[in-house]
Amino acid sequence: MASFQKTLEIALQKRGIKRDKDVDELYLSQRNLLNCEDLKRFKYMKKLWINGNKLRHANFLSCNFHLSELYLHDNNLSEISGCLRHLTCLVVLTLHNNQLTHLEKTLKELDKMKSLSVLNLFNNPAAQEPGYRTFTIHMCPSLTLLDRSEVTRNEQEKASHMYSQDKTLAKSRVAFGRKSEGPPTSHSAFARRTTSVKQDPTEATNQVNGNLKVNTNESPEEAVNIRFLKKSLTMYSIFDWSKVPRLEARRQTDSQFSLPRILTFVYR
């Protein structure tokens, strides 16, 4: 078993690095490491190769917030919960050829990585779960390359339709700032024509205020009130940002922060 400190010293000497703050890349791959001490001393490190070892845990990156590329493949990792969530600057993450078993739990660890573009999870038990690729694209919408295969527009739409149906439906019902009955159909004109044919001629309508149609049994005032209640709402919310904890504080503690009170205004 290789001594981690000795391995680390050799890696730094090869690159002629004497100060921790000068380390922006670190190569520790294929060193037969069973464990890794916390690398918080290299707080400006952006790239880390620690693949090809025998690591079972990835809890050695507590303060490496600047990491953009992390290579953890070919290890013995069984889970990453609580280890990578704070690495929000990651663009490339390789986790293939490990022992990750729970797909949803694994992907939740990555949901704050809004810039994550390249992800490898193949050759893990979690990658054998049904719907693995679609669910992964849904959980990590910024991905452009998954398991060395390009994420296509069709795959993104499929993931959105399958796992974000409510959001997709809401988008389809917004038209020019007003709420509609939904996307138009090819039979909408026919339906309107059929409705007008079947309309009882005794139910005459009057034209009031341009587009407003009211039943002859209703007064114009009642019709205006009905139309007013059907108008779309304008709503905005405000709250005190000074009471929101900073990102560094949220990263370094597991305690729950009480959010400020949100004040919402609604107009018709």
Side-chain angles (χ1 to χ4, degrees):
M1 180 181 68
S3 169
F4 175 74
Q5 284 296 337
K6 184 176 180 180
T7 301
L8 183 59
E9 290 176 5
I10 293 174
L12 295 177
Q13 287 176 0
K14 283 184 177 180
R15 300 195 62 197
I17 298 175
K18 297 182 179 180
R19 299 185 302 178
D20 293 345
K21 66 178 182 178
D22 293 333
V23 176
D24 60 348
E25 298 181 359
L26 188 58
Y27 300 87
L28 296 174
S29 57
Q30 305 292 338
R31 304 300 173 90
N32 200 32
L33 297 174
L34 293 177
N35 54 65
C36 178
E37 296 181 11
D38 202 324
L39 300 174
K40 60 183 178 181
R41 53 188 279 200
F42 308 118
K43 60 181 180 178
Y44 297 113
M45 180 170 58
K46 295 182 179 180
K47 299 179 182 180
L48 173 62
W49 284 262
I50 196 166
N51 53 290
N53 291 292
K54 299 179 181 180
L55 301 176
R56 299 180 62 87
H57 304 284
N59 55 351
F60 45 83
L61 300 167
S62 61
C63 295
N64 303 102
F65 303 120
H66 293 274
L67 269 178
S68 61
E69 297 184 17
L70 177 58
Y71 301 89
L72 280 167
H73 55 279
D74 297 328
N75 278 289
N76 293 325
L77 300 175
S78 58
E79 66 173 353
I80 57 173
S81 299
C83 300
L84 308 180
R85 189 173 182 81
H86 59 289
L87 304 179
T88 56
C89 294
L90 275 182
V91 177
V92 178
L93 176 61
T94 63
L95 290 166
H96 54 280
N97 295 334
N98 276 287
Q99 301 298 323
L100 301 174
T101 55
H102 198 291
L103 180 60
E104 184 174 2
K105 194 174 181 180
T106 299
L107 295 178
K108 280 187 176 180
E109 189 70 12
L110 315 180
D111 62 1
K112 288 189 176 182
M113 301 177 185
K114 305 303 181 183
S115 300
L116 188 62
S117 179
V118 179
L119 175 65
N120 286 346
L121 284 172
F122 62 90
N123 288 348
N124 280 286
Q128 305 302 318
E129 295 187 18
Y132 150 74
R133 185 172 177 88
T134 303
F135 184 63
T136 302
I137 293 173
H138 163 68
M139 293 292 288
C140 304
S142 59
L143 289 179
T144 59
L145 201 66
L146 174 60
D147 293 341
R148 300 176 180 174
S149 178
E150 182 181 0
V151 177
T152 65
R153 180 68 176 271
N154 289 337
E155 287 178 320
Q156 292 174 337
E157 292 177 352
K158 179 181 178 182
S160 177
H161 178 72
M162 184 175 297
Y163 296 103
S164 304
Q165 294 183 1
D166 294 340
K167 185 177 180 180
T168 303
L169 181 60
K171 286 183 177 180
S172 68
R173 287 178 177 268
V174 176
F176 302 104
R178 296 183 179 181
K179 182 179 179 182
S180 69
E181 296 299 326
T185 63
S186 59
H187 303 289
S188 57
F190 175 77
R192 288 195 300 270
R193 188 162 56 250
T194 304
T195 303
S196 62
V197 171
K198 292 183 178 181
Q199 185 177 7
D200 189 349
T202 60
E203 296 180 357
T205 58
N206 295 329
Q207 192 78 11
V208 179
N209 293 334
N211 295 326
L212 180 62
K213 291 184 178 182
V214 297
N215 193 287
T216 53
N217 296 326
E218 296 177 348
S219 66
E221 292 78 9
E222 292 176 346
V224 170
N225 289 333
I226 292 174
R227 184 179 181 184
F228 175 78
L229 293 175
K230 291 183 178 180
K231 284 186 176 180
S232 299
L233 297 178
T234 300
M235 179 175 64
Y236 70 91
S237 302
I238 59 173
F239 63 95
D240 188 0
W241 280 97
S242 64
K243 296 183 180 180
V244 179
R246 302 187 67 177
L247 185 59
E248 291 79 2
R250 295 201 301 268
R251 283 172 171 170
Q252 298 179 8
T253 181
D254 294 330
S255 61
Q256 296 291 332
F257 294 95
S258 58
L259 295 176
R261 183 178 179 183
I262 300 176
L263 186 60
T264 302
F265 298 88
V266 180
Y267 297 93
R268 287 191 180 275

